[in-house]
């Protein structure tokens, strides 16, 4: 015992030294970060976005770029992305955005250029956990901010999303707290949380969807991601409160409620890892076939497109055509193509090719109606916060400078 405490005591300075410095690729700052802000020797802390700074090997301390010391290659094209997309017969080229970054005026200025972006998707602020933060209380402020921005800019708006396992986990937790605090958990027989949510869903869908559809009667809105990510990668149904309670039939409930809220908007099911053929694409094809056969309203399949540089699935065009052959449209809804940092010229060149490949596939399929990137700049990308050591996934770098990927997009539409 004595020996243990002695050895712990002797280790303490070492442990403190270690924890005072983040490892290479480790987090070293960002809103809410309470850990080490210094990096181990050989790496430096770089701001990736307001929520995440990371120790980048070989980077200069205090700099804002994750690229190596030689100047990074940039885009040379002067074409505008929405202009080229429309010239190719598409409805739009668009970007996701989120409320916190709307205070960045340089960022908003590029986002608001409708020759570059003809469409906007709110990355978070129309989700269930954002619109109904407590039970029965709906909050549309943040979603309205983005809807109004799109309207002011003359951009289409994609509603995202009505039903998603990830948001329902957040809601379940809140519901649990509220049930306990209100002391009514025993008043609901059977499965109180599930029952409550199932009872509530149509009201949510009608209220939320109607809010933005009602503000968009002049037709700049086109689509809603009604159901998000219903499948696991092996094609089995994702298990969460809705699928566990009523099975895959929750998709019917959601689509019918959405159609009742507005008969005009295009209703989509949206998922990732369905860019190429495979078990998950097959499951989605089967679901859409079944929905169409039973007359359940479904207009489109959203192919998210969270991809990896140099590792694109084969036959993207063929896969898009398999969906459109069922009588639905498709859209690339959340495109980003990430790499392991740092972003070398070779990786940026490969990324340019990969963007061109995806855009060309959509371009070749008439019923692929448009492409949305999941925000346009690395400054606000979700990637580094989720995939450690990866990033640089978008066509603008974190200084809002256009990368070679931009030229890949332009070439893909030509
Ligand atoms: O980019 C979004 C991130 O800011 C949120 O924390 C996260 C959870 O709501 O959702 C991210 O967006 C996801 C999208 O809604 C659905 N497809 C995957 C996207 C990236 O995770």
């Amino acid at each position: 015992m004595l020996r243990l405490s002695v050895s712990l005591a002797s280790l303490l300075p070492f442990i403190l030294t270690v924890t005072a410095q983040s490892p290479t690729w480790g987090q070293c700052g960002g809103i809410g970060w309470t850990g080490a802000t210094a990096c181990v020797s050989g790496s430096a802390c770089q701001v990736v976005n307001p929520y995440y700074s990371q120790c980048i090997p070989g980077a200069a301390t205090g700099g804002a770029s994750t690229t190596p010391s030689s100047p990074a290659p940039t885009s040379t094209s002067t074409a505008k992305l929405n202009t080229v997309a429309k010239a190719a017969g598409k409805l739009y080229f668009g970007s996701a955005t989120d409320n916190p970054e709307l205070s960045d005026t340089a960022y908003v200025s590029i986002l608001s250029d409708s020759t570059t972006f003809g469409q906007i998707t709110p990355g978070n602020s129309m989700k269930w956990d954002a619109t109904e933060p407590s039970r029965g209380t709906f909050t549309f402020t943040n979603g309205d901010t983005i809807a109004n921005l799109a309207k002011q800019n003359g951009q289409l708006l994609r509603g995202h999303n009505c039903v998603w396992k990830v948001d329902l986990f957040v809601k379940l937790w809140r519901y649990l707290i509220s049930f306990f605090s209100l002391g009514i958990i025993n008043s609901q027989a059977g499965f109180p949380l599930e029952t409550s949510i199932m009872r509530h869903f149509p009201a949510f869908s009608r209220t939320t969807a109607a809010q933005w559809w009602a503000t968009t009667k002049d037709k700049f809105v086109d689509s809603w991601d009604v159901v998000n990510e219903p499948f696991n990668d092996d094609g089995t149904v994702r298990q969460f409160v809705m699928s566990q309670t009523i099975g895959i039939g929750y998709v019917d409930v959601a689509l019918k409620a959405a159609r009742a809220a507005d008969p005009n908007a295009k209703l989509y099911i949206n998922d990732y890892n369905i860019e190429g053929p495979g078990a998950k694409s097959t499951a989605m094809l089967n679901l859409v076939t079944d929905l169409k056969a039973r007359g359940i309203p479904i207009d489109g399949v959203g192919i998210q497109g969270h991809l990896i540089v140099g590792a694109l699935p084969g036959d993207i065009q063929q896969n898009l055509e398999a969906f459109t052959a069922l009588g639905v449209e498709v859209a690339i809804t959340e495109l980003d193509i990430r790499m392991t940092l740092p972003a070398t010229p070779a990786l940026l060149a490969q990324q340019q090719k990969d963007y061109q490949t995806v855009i060309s596939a959509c371009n070749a399929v008439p019923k692929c109606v448009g492409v949305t990137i999941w925000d346009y700049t690395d400054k606000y990308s979700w990637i580094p916060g989720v995939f450690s050591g990866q990033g640089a996934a978008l066509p603008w770098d974190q200084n809002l400078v256009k990368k070679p990927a931009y030229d890949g997009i332009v070439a893909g539409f030509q």
Side-chain angles (χ1 to χ4, degrees):
M1 190 61 191
L2 181 64
R3 268 172 54 193
L4 179 62
S5 35
V6 167
S7 64
L8 272 179
S10 60
L11 274 175
L12 199 56
F14 174 71
I15 292 167
L16 287 176
T17 306
V18 169
T19 54
Q21 290 191 315
S22 283
T24 303
W25 304 121
Q27 185 169 1
C28 54
I31 296 168
W33 173 248
T34 54
T37 53
C39 295
V40 290
S41 172
S43 65
C45 191
Q46 302 279 295
V47 176
V48 175
N49 63 45
Y51 299 94
Y52 195 79
S53 297
Q54 188 175 33
C55 295
I56 306 295
T61 309
S65 170
T66 59
T67 50
S69 48
S70 57
T74 55
S75 154
T76 54
S77 175
T78 53
K80 297 300 192 83
L81 300 182
N82 190 46
T83 304
V84 290
K86 290 183 92 161
K90 302 302 167 193
L91 284 177
Y92 60 83
F93 185 86
S95 175
T97 190
D98 203 1
N99 298 76
E101 59 237 41
L102 296 181
S103 58
D104 179 340
T105 49
Y107 167 87
V108 173
S109 162
I110 295 172
L111 180 72
S112 296
D113 173 3
S114 61
T115 63
T116 301
F117 300 116
Q119 180 266 358
I120 285 183
T121 303
N124 285 310
S125 48
M126 291 185 182
K127 290 172 176 171
W128 191 329
D129 63 320
T131 52
E132 196 196 359
S134 65
R135 196 165 167 238
T137 306
F138 291 90
T139 305
F140 300 114
T141 315
N142 283 344
D144 274 344
T145 298
I146 293 177
N148 290 337
L149 181 71
K151 188 169 188 172
Q152 189 183 310
N153 296 336
Q155 294 160 317
L156 296 163
L157 186 66
R158 183 178 196 87
H160 177 85
N161 56 57
C162 294
V163 183
W164 184 24
K165 171 181 178 172
V166 171
D167 284 331
L168 287 180
F169 273 137
V170 176
K171 287 217 68 67
L172 266 177
W173 179 240
R174 289 191 182 137
Y175 279 5
L176 199 58
I177 292 167
S178 95
F179 272 117
F180 277 123
S181 62
L182 293 173
I184 59 170
I185 194 149
N186 293 325
S187 69
Q188 310 223 356
F191 304 93
L193 303 178
E194 288 87 336
T195 310
S196 169
I197 289 174
M198 285 314 301
R199 194 184 295 138
H200 209 72
F201 171 68
F204 158 77
S205 183
R206 279 169 182 275
T207 311
T208 304
Q211 167 71 14
W212 286 298
W213 282 327
T215 59
T216 56
K217 286 218 167 85
D218 46 339
K219 289 278 177 228
F220 65 83
V221 147
D222 64 347
S223 316
W224 262 96
D225 293 323
V226 177
V227 176
N228 199 47
E229 301 173 7
F231 293 114
N232 298 310
D233 282 348
D234 66 0
T236 54
V237 173
R238 262 193 175 198
Q239 292 302 299
F240 73 119
V241 56
M242 288 204 177
S243 52
Q244 282 163 344
T245 308
I246 59 168
I248 190 69
Y250 83 88
V251 173
D252 298 14
V253 175
L255 287 165
K256 285 182 184 166
R259 180 61 97 230
D262 190 305
N264 296 319
K266 297 274 173 60
L267 307 182
Y268 271 66
I269 302 177
N270 189 47
D271 215 329
Y272 61 92
N273 286 350
I274 55 167
E275 293 75 22
K280 198 170 184 179
S281 287
T282 301
M284 186 66 87
L285 288 164
N286 291 339
L287 174 61
V288 172
T289 303
D290 177 55
L291 293 170
K292 297 280 288 179
R294 292 186 296 111
I296 306 296
I298 173 74
D299 302 306
V301 174
I303 317 281
Q304 291 185 6
H306 294 295
L307 300 170
I308 300 171
V309 166
L312 258 49
D315 300 324
I316 297 177
Q317 181 184 333
Q318 179 201 319
N319 206 46
L320 300 184
E321 285 165 345
F323 284 112
T324 60
L326 300 179
V328 291
E329 62 182 43
V330 294
I332 311 288
T333 52
E334 304 185 14
L335 182 62
D336 52 24
I337 311 183
R338 63 186 183 267
M339 62 182 72
T340 298
L341 297 170
T344 62
L347 283 168
L348 291 169
Q350 182 63 47
Q351 185 183 50
Q352 174 178 359
K353 282 188 194 149
D354 292 343
Y355 266 97
Q356 182 172 346
T357 299
V358 176
I359 301 293
S360 299
C362 177
N363 201 26
V365 179
K367 285 177 74 181
C368 182
V369 297
V371 178
T372 306
I373 45 179
W374 204 240
D375 223 316
Y376 73 84
T377 160
D378 297 332
K379 191 173 182 181
Y380 299 120
S381 171
W382 68 292
I383 297 286
V386 173
F387 297 99
S388 183
Q390 297 182 51
L394 293 164
W396 277 256
D397 73 11
Q398 53 195 346
N399 298 314
L400 308 185
V401 175
K402 288 185 275 179
K403 292 151 63 174
Y406 185 99
D407 297 350
I409 298 171
V410 172
F413 281 121
Q414 287 166 342

